[in-house]
Amino acid sequence: MRFLATVAVASLVLSGAWLGVVEAKSVSGDRVLVLVPKVEAAKLYSQFLDSLTSRGFDLSVRAATNTSVVLQVDGVRIYDHAVVLSPESKKLGANLSVRDFASFVDDGGNLIVAASSELSELGRKLAARFGIEYEKRGTAVIDHVAHLRAVNDTSDHTLVAAIPSKAASPVLSEQFAHAQPSPVYFKGIAHKYEPSNPMLIPVLTGSRTTYSAAIASDASESASPSILLSGKPVGLVSLFQARNNARVAFSGSAALFSDALLGHATGANKQFTTDISQWVLQEKAVLRETGHRHYLASTGLWPEHYRISNEIVYEIDLSVYRDDAWHPYNANDVQFEAIMLDPYIRTTLNSSESADPKTTATYHGDIKLPDRYGTFTFRVNYKRPGFSNVDVKDIVGIWPLRHDEYPRFLSAAYPYYTGSLVMAVGFLALCAVWMWSAEPKTKRAAKHKSN
């Protein structure tokens, strides 16, 4: 029976791949490892897995206990992405450790990790590596106001109805930007996050009536639980983007991806999980620099080095990947910096006409270099939540002027020139007056009488 189930799941994945496009729409590859408690458990997430295959990904669905599963061989990734839907497993694959997953991300791999109230210690340590701290084992997220209501009185208050954050607009689709979007149903464990961490995006959090507590069996019981975390600090789904633009998603609910919640008529779990997976697997909000240049404004040439106070032009081309194609990235906050230990120049670049307006946007700035020579770094360091980081650097030498390149007269020294000239003219006038002026008649007569 287990063999037949394995064949059935494999056939499901292959059929989805044949029906979908041949190539994945991700900019980072199409090889996806999916870890589930047992291969048969993949049926619980068939809609989510079908959405991946329909988008052209090559899925490898493996049991978490399969000891042949590895992420890298000889330091080379054999998968581009990994989806872990086995939160209770104490071991994953060939005894994969937190260091193995961290190395996978450091090498550019993307990761989706789902948790539950029975999260294993391995899952906790893996989340802690990326700044996520899950609540204690056996706790759950509870909301007595915003939850999935049943027709009778058997409503499950641990099946929370949460609204995604509007601050995560690069990640989520437009339907979540409405005044009253459809809720996302969540059943699982909460986590703490650091709001000041620039690498984390809390895309789904609790509301004022949400709290995390240890529960016995039924969260709707009147017994007062021990509240551990409450309000907006209750993290439900958080995203992490590394400095190398690898992306990781941590969901406190594996049920969030299940068919039971994806198919619910009043919820937006299907669109939400699609948006999250598209972001993590780098199908959207991917920025790239397609070219940059700087040159003298007077000649249009890129010299080996510049001179102090030269006027130059800096240009950079930016594109964003979304809707399966590259588009021009339009913004008004792209900045240029000229740095030598500290920034000597920081200015906002203006949009200009692009050579390829269908795919790129060009930004330029007319810049006067500082009156300071040395080795400078021309840098555009563009980091915005939800988008890939763009960090473009050029090491440029700025030389002092040659002895024959200085101006003959300095405008700042005109007062001193004037003072020197006035003093010289005054001295000459005094000498002329003294030398050519006649003696007074009284003094001349006195001299004549004395003789």
Side-chain angles (χ1 to χ4, degrees), residues 125-145:
K125 292 181 179 179
L126 177 59
R129 185 66 176 261
F130 295 93
I132 298 294
E133 182 182 353
Y134 279 106
E135 291 288 85
K136 296 180 180 180
R137 187 184 180 93
T139 61
V141 179
I142 305 172
D143 197 319
H144 300 297
V145 176

Side-chain angles (χ1 to χ4, degrees), residues 296 303-312 367-374 376 378 396-406:
L296 288 169
E304 294 182 2
H305 56 265
Y306 293 103
R307 300 287 184 179
I308 59 174
S309 300
N310 277 164
E311 293 184 355
I312 70 168
I367 299 162
K368 185 176 181 179
L369 296 181
D371 188 15
R372 181 69 179 269
Y373 62 86
F376 281 76
F378 289 175
V396 177
I398 298 180
W399 290 15
L401 297 176
R402 293 167 54 91
H403 67 281
D404 57 352
E405 290 180 330
Y406 285 96

Side-chain angles (χ1 to χ4, degrees), residues 62-71 73 78-79 92-96:
R62 303 291 183 88
T65 56
N66 191 331
T67 57
S68 65
V69 175
V70 293
L71 297 173
V73 175
I78 60 176
Y79 298 103
L92 296 174
N95 200 18
L96 295 175

Side-chain angles (χ1 to χ4, degrees), residues 207-350:
S207 63
R208 292 180 298 175
T209 56
T210 307
Y211 65 93
S212 172
I215 58 173
S217 57
D218 187 2
S220 62
E221 293 179 353
S222 59
S224 59
S226 176
I227 298 177
L228 304 175
L229 194 65
S230 63
K232 192 173 179 59
V234 177
L236 307 180
V237 178
S238 293
L239 308 178
F240 179 93
Q241 181 166 263
R243 290 186 175 88
N244 64 347
N245 289 329
R247 295 173 173 178
V248 185
F250 287 97
S251 170
S253 171
L256 183 74
F257 303 91
S258 66
D259 294 351
L261 294 183
L262 260 61
H264 202 281
T266 61
N269 285 52
K270 187 171 185 179
Q271 185 61 51
F272 181 77
T273 55
T274 298
D275 290 342
I276 294 299
S277 62
Q278 285 180 338
W279 185 86
V280 174
L281 305 184
Q282 306 214 14
E283 298 176 83
K284 65 188 320 185
V286 179
L287 288 183
R288 71 173 182 181
E289 170 262 337
T290 59
H292 71 281
R293 54 215 160 266
H294 48 87
Y295 49 85
L296 288 169
S298 58
T299 63
L301 300 178
W302 186 343
E304 294 182 2
H305 56 265
Y306 293 103
R307 300 287 184 179
I308 59 174
S309 300
N310 277 164
E311 293 184 355
I312 70 168
V313 176
Y314 187 94
E315 295 179 339
I316 186 171
D317 303 323
L318 297 178
S319 299
V320 60
Y321 189 79
R322 66 172 186 272
D323 300 329
D324 311 328
W326 290 102
H327 301 273
Y329 178 70
N330 299 314
N332 58 2
D333 56 354
V334 180
Q335 290 187 330
F336 164 87
E337 294 177 318
I339 304 171
M340 187 172 65
L341 297 182
D342 293 319
Y344 279 72
I345 296 175
R346 179 181 288 132
T347 183
T348 301
L349 301 179
N350 300 315

